[in-house]
Amino acid sequence: MSGAWLNHHGQPVGRAVEDWRAPAEKPGRGVLTGRHCRLEPLSAERHGPSLWRAWQAPDIATSQDGDARARWTYLGGRPFDDLAGCQRWLASQARRSDPAFMAVIDADSGQALGVASWLNLVPEQGTIELGHLSFSAVLSRTRIATEALVMMASHAFALGYRRLEWKCDALNAPSRRAAERLGFTFEGVFRQHRVVAGRNRDTAWFSLLDHEWRRLEPVYRRWLSPDNFNDKGRQRSSLSTLIQSSLLEA
């Protein structure tokens, strides 16, 4: 049981929340800039062509046949088959405020390589989710991808949220590994939570809390530092190793 206190009736209750003020702010539509990438509010016109190209890259890490569409399996399948359809889908997502989509831009090439969003915003309770990650094969498992997710988490906590959620199909092993690598805590599986593309989906839930973020933020900065990579771009210390070290030092 997470920290219980006794009230005047002698009953266990949660701690008083004295260091937080409701409501949190909703994510704005500004640009977030990092060392390796920037996050821009999604635009079908501006980002559509480069996203379409990036999403066509063969993906041998996700499927045996390398089909790029395999990366969309746990999102219910890719909802378009050509550039025009891609731009229509992007336009429909860009009009929404929850989820609020951002395009992930490679700072060097200026090309959009994937999208992510904040969603399930509950400002009055200080909860927000990071999801709808549609990263291309050229973005996935790169410094750019990690920096983009850290930037989105940082922005959420800066807006006053207490809890950042990550949810995925319980069978989506890459997504579960990504959440754990970033320091999210696994909370359990909601069985028969949704029906996706006519199939049952059990949903794995993860969370990152504000006090955990304050401990992890310098660890992310340390991992992303140029000093942590050799001249071939290979990491010297893994993020998981740095997080474990921070736990031992705490």
Side-chain angles (χ1 to χ4, degrees), residues 27 32 39 75 98-102 104 115-121 127-135 145-157 161 163-168 175 178-179 182 184 201 204 206-208 213 220:
L32 303 178
L39 302 173
L75 296 173
D98 185 356
F101 274 88
M102 303 291 281
V104 181
V115 299
S117 78
W118 295 284
L119 68 154
N120 291 327
L121 281 66
T127 66
I128 190 171
E129 183 179 344
L130 177 56
H132 287 299
L133 307 181
S134 299
F135 286 3
T146 299
E147 184 180 54
L149 295 173
V150 168
M151 287 165 60
M152 293 192 74
S154 177
H155 190 59
F157 287 114
Y161 288 91
R163 170 183 168 89
L164 179 63
E165 298 177 338
W166 179 299
K167 305 185 187 86
C168 63
S175 184
L182 288 168
F184 282 72
R201 168 174 148 164
F206 298 82
S207 69
L208 183 64
W213 166 257
Y220 300 137

Side-chain angles (χ1 to χ4, degrees), residues 88-219:
R88 285 194 298 271
W89 181 79
L90 292 172
S92 69
Q93 303 310 308
R95 287 192 291 268
R96 305 172 71 178
S97 58
D98 185 356
F101 274 88
M102 303 291 281
V104 181
I105 314 297
D106 179 353
D108 290 335
S109 69
Q111 299 298 298
L113 302 179
V115 299
S117 78
W118 295 284
L119 68 154
N120 291 327
L121 281 66
V122 189
E124 63 272 19
Q125 297 298 334
T127 66
I128 190 171
E129 183 179 344
L130 177 56
H132 287 299
L133 307 181
S134 299
F135 286 3
S136 64
V138 293
L139 172 61
S140 182
R141 294 175 300 182
T142 65
R143 271 186 285 182
I144 298 174
T146 299
E147 184 180 54
L149 295 173
V150 168
M151 287 165 60
M152 293 192 74
S154 177
H155 190 59
F157 287 114
L159 292 174
Y161 288 91
R162 304 174 61 233
R163 170 183 168 89
L164 179 63
E165 298 177 338
W166 179 299
K167 305 185 187 86
C168 63
D169 190 308
L171 297 175
N172 187 349
S175 184
R176 295 182 67 154
R177 286 196 298 269
E180 291 167 349
R181 173 178 174 270
L182 288 168
F184 282 72
T185 296
F186 174 60
E187 296 183 328
V189 173
F190 277 33
R191 299 179 301 160
Q192 294 192 182
H193 181 223
R194 297 177 61 187
V195 176
V196 177
R199 295 181 181 274
N200 177 66
R201 168 174 148 164
D202 296 343
T203 299
W205 286 54
F206 298 82
S207 69
L208 183 64
L209 306 183
D210 50 1
H211 66 274
E212 296 167 336
W213 166 257
R214 288 191 288 272
R215 174 179 59 81
L216 288 173
E217 185 179 20
V219 180

Side-chain angles (χ1 to χ4, degrees), residues 46-59:
R46 188 165 63 253
H47 304 127
S50 57
L51 282 171
W52 170 250
R53 288 192 299 272
W55 282 331
Q56 303 317 299
D59 191 1

